[in-house]
Structure formats: C-alpha cells, structure tokens
Amino acid sequence: MIETDNLTTDLKISRIINGMWQVAGGHGYIDPSKAISEMQQYRYSGLNTWDMADIYGPAEEFFGKFYQKSKSGDKITGMTKFVPNSGSMNKNFVNRAIKNSILRMCVESLDLVQFHWWDYEDLSYLDALEHLTNLQDEGKIRHIGLTNFDTKRMQIILEKGFRIVSNQVQYSIIDQRPQVEMEDFCKKHNIKLLAYGTVGGGLISERFLNQPEPTRIELNTHSLQKYHNMINAWGGWKLFQKLLEALASIAKNHNVSIVNVATRFILDQPCVSGVIIGARLGLSQHISDNLKTFSLKLNADEKKGIQEIIKQSNDLYEHIGDCGSEYR
C-alpha cells in the first residue's frame, strides 16, 4: 500500500517522492530515453510524485515527455522549483520563468512551485513571492512552497500575508535541525515539510556499513560529496559507523534495508509530508526497496536507540544554523 498525504486539501502526494536533482549532472550520464522509460516504472509502482527544479538540467523536459506518454486519467504530481539568481524581481521575469516551466513540463498549471532564494539581505524575494501569488490567482500555479528557507524568513513571509503550503529542507537522522524551531512553527501555521538528504545521497545504506571512510575519488557523485561533508560536521566517520550498525540491526529484525529504516524514521516526524529520494534514472533503480518502507513500523525502543546515537553527535543547528543556512 502506497502511503499518501494531502499536502493541501486538493494536492495529494506519495510520501516517497522521486527526486530529479540527479539528472542535472554530477551523477553519471543520464540517457533521456532510458530515463523516461524508467519514470513509467515508477508510475506503475504507485510512486507518482516528482520533485524537480528549473535549474536541474533537463528534469522538467523529462517530466514533460513522461507526462505526455502517460494516460490522461493517471494522477501524476510534478513539483518544481523556481531558483532565480538574487537581484531585482520584476513581473515579466517571474512570469517568463513560470511560463517556461509550464511549457517544459507540458502542463496547464504547476502543482507546486517551491521558491528558493540565495541572499536574505536582498529583500527582492518578497517581490518574487508577490508575482508568484499573482500567477497563482491567474491559475498558472496551484500552490506555492519554499525551498531551504529558515524559520525567521518564513515568519517574515507569513507576516507579509503570503500563503505558503510547504518548505523543502534537509532532514535526516544526521541532520535534525528542523526539530529546533521549524517544526513548531510549521505546526502552528499548517505548513508541511518535504525532506531531502534523508539517505545521505546513498551513504546511509549497507554499501558503507563496516567500510573505511571513502576517499575523494570514491565519492564520485555530487550527492556523496555533499553528504560526506555533512557527516564530518555531524560527528565523523566513526560515529557514523556506529549509527549504520544500529540501523542495520533494526533493518535485519524487520527484513528491510538501512534505507528503509532511515526513511521511516523521518516520515514519522511531525509535519513531514514526504521524503525525497533521488532517482538516478537509467543508472540505478530502487523502486522495490523504497516500497518496503511503507510496511515498516518502528517501535519505541528502536526509535530510542537511534536517538541515543544522535545525542552523541554535534549540534548542527549550532554549527551551521537553521535549515538552509549552508546555502548562504
């Protein structure tokens, strides 16, 4: 049974979301025909929600071709991101960017536009949100969310009267920063969290259990490099191995994978609507394993055991700052 969640009253998503950052480069060559064919396999499995961005190379075009090939009665959700460079945000610029996403994705309106901003000192992000809201009123956008915004800026956005349904942030057993202040804020304002980095780009898996720390050459994708840096900030490879051993023990008891346990742990957190797991389309495929997450239930002792290891790690909120601070 595929777990779903109502991100809003009229937007249902699968709680495991297929991430398309991997088609943007730095994860191996993606063959377009193989990619689109494999997207159909995800659809047949029930994993029908896709996360992409206007800066993810051909991701929106892939989705558009896949969407056109799908049956008209199929419900497929495509969530994209608007990621402009900082600077003046005039109406024409924003309108053109959204129009281009609509054309590439072959849809009449965008299910969810997740807005990212690089520089909080530049308050033009409020102008961008005003233009996005106008496009929502015109029916070009169904819902507006955020990507990697911190709690302080979310508060400012709501005080300006903008309606935000979600914020996509890094959230994993390694990175627990959303628990510090963002979860309470989201509960209060009925905002959902979409979590990425939950399996550490593949580091939180059997592949790295009981293995020496990988070299730079062995970290051969952008994801592995990014989340290896996060592990170092969190507590280092020795503590990470201790975590993997604990996750492996839980996984063995349930006849599932470490990835399933790590994913389930985050899906069970307050305000988390869905977890984004990257899809290296045509290169590696984990549909059947991802589906096992939905039948997994972690008991209180298992969750407590994971928390005991987390307590031994560094406080990433103190070291990095609130969610998204690593991008600024």
Side-chain angles (χ1 to χ4, degrees):
M1 177 71 70
I2 302 292
E3 284 183 31
T4 61
D5 187 59
N6 290 321
L7 194 63
T8 69
T9 55
D10 63 345
L11 184 58
K12 181 182 288 188
I13 64 170
S14 56
R15 296 199 72 204
I16 290 181
I17 301 162
N18 312 311
M20 297 188 74
W21 176 38
Q22 282 75 3
V23 309
H27 293 84
Y29 171 71
I30 304 292
D31 180 272
S33 60
K34 288 183 180 179
I36 294 162
S37 175
E38 192 163 293
M39 290 175 78
Q40 296 290 355
Q41 295 179 42
Y42 279 86
R43 177 174 68 89
Y44 296 142
S45 76
L47 297 175
N48 61 1
T49 304
W50 295 86
D51 177 76
M52 66 209 90
D54 57 5
I55 62 168
Y56 288 2
E60 291 181 332
E61 286 94 339
F62 283 5
F63 180 88
K65 291 176 181 177
F66 156 68
Y67 187 78
Q68 285 184 309
K69 289 189 174 201
S70 302
K71 295 179 182 178
S72 59
D74 290 350
K75 181 50 191 165
I76 297 167
T77 300
M79 313 187 308
T80 195
K81 301 182 190 73
F82 173 46
V83 189
N85 292 324
S86 299
S88 176
M89 290 287 110
N90 63 59
K91 177 181 177 180
N92 288 338
F93 175 81
V94 177
N95 286 7
R96 184 168 60 251
I98 296 305
K99 179 181 179 180
N100 286 340
S101 288
I102 289 173
L103 291 173
R104 287 191 292 261
M105 292 173 65
C106 299
V107 294
E108 293 182 2
S109 65
L110 302 174
D111 289 327
L112 176 68
V113 173
Q114 303 166 94
F115 174 50
H116 176 92
W117 191 251
W118 299 102
D119 181 9
Y120 291 146
E121 296 299 315
D122 183 349
L123 297 181
S124 297
Y125 70 87
L126 297 172
D127 297 327
L129 282 166
E130 181 176 353
H131 300 315
L132 291 173
T133 299
N134 290 336
L135 287 167
Q136 184 179 23
D137 293 339
E138 294 173 12
K140 303 292 178 59
I141 298 171
R142 293 179 63 197
H143 300 286
I144 299 171
L146 302 172
T147 298
N148 290 315
F149 270 78
D150 63 10
T151 311
K152 180 178 178 180
R153 252 52 61 162
M154 290 174 74
Q155 178 72 55
I156 292 171
I157 288 168
L158 293 193
E159 288 175 351
K160 294 293 183 180
F162 297 111
R163 172 69 183 118
I164 301 300
V165 302
S166 63
N167 190 19
Q168 185 177 142
V169 295
Q170 185 170 286
Y171 198 176
S172 69
I173 293 175
I174 298 294
D175 188 352
Q176 300 273 290
R177 287 178 295 163
Q179 295 184 3
V180 179
E181 57 179 325
M182 189 168 289
E183 277 185 357
D184 285 343
F185 181 85
C186 289
K187 283 181 194 175
K188 181 178 178 181
H189 297 285
N190 193 29
I191 296 172
K192 300 291 186 72
L193 292 176
L194 298 172
Y196 69 86
T198 304
V199 298
L203 286 164
I204 306 176
S205 68
E206 281 80 4
R207 176 184 171 189
F208 293 93
L209 175 64
N210 297 322
Q211 296 298 313
E213 186 167 3
T215 64
R216 181 74 178 179
I217 293 175
E218 292 169 324
L219 298 169
N220 57 5
T221 70
H222 288 340
S223 293
L224 290 174
Q225 294 161 15
K226 174 180 179 177
Y227 295 111
H228 179 256
N229 291 337
M230 192 62 61
I231 287 169
N232 285 338
W234 175 76
W237 196 253
K238 184 176 180 180
L239 182 60
F240 181 62
Q241 284 298 309
K242 187 175 180 180
L243 172 64
L244 288 184
E245 289 170 5
L247 297 179
S249 177
I250 296 170
K252 184 177 180 181
N253 289 339
H254 292 275
N255 194 29
V256 296
S257 70
I258 287 175
V259 167
N260 299 145
V261 177
T263 304
R264 182 78 264 171
F265 187 80
I266 297 303
L267 283 174
D268 288 345
Q269 302 306 313
C271 299
V272 172
S273 183
V275 162
I276 298 156
I277 298 182
R280 295 179 68 196
L281 297 168
L283 294 178
S284 61
Q285 194 242 80
H286 305 285
I287 295 173
S288 59
D289 185 64
N290 288 344
L291 291 174
K292 292 179 183 178
T293 302
F294 297 135
S295 62
L296 173 61
K297 304 297 179 186
L298 299 176
N299 63 45
D301 287 340
E302 290 167 339
K303 291 181 179 180
K304 182 179 178 181
I306 293 171
Q307 292 287 3
E308 288 301 320
I309 296 174
I310 292 172
K311 289 178 183 177
Q312 300 172 43
S313 67
N314 296 322
D315 184 340
L316 290 183
Y317 185 93
E318 181 179 312
H319 282 254
I320 300 174
D322 198 3
C323 300
S325 294
E326 61 270 31
Y327 293 99
R328 299 172 180 91

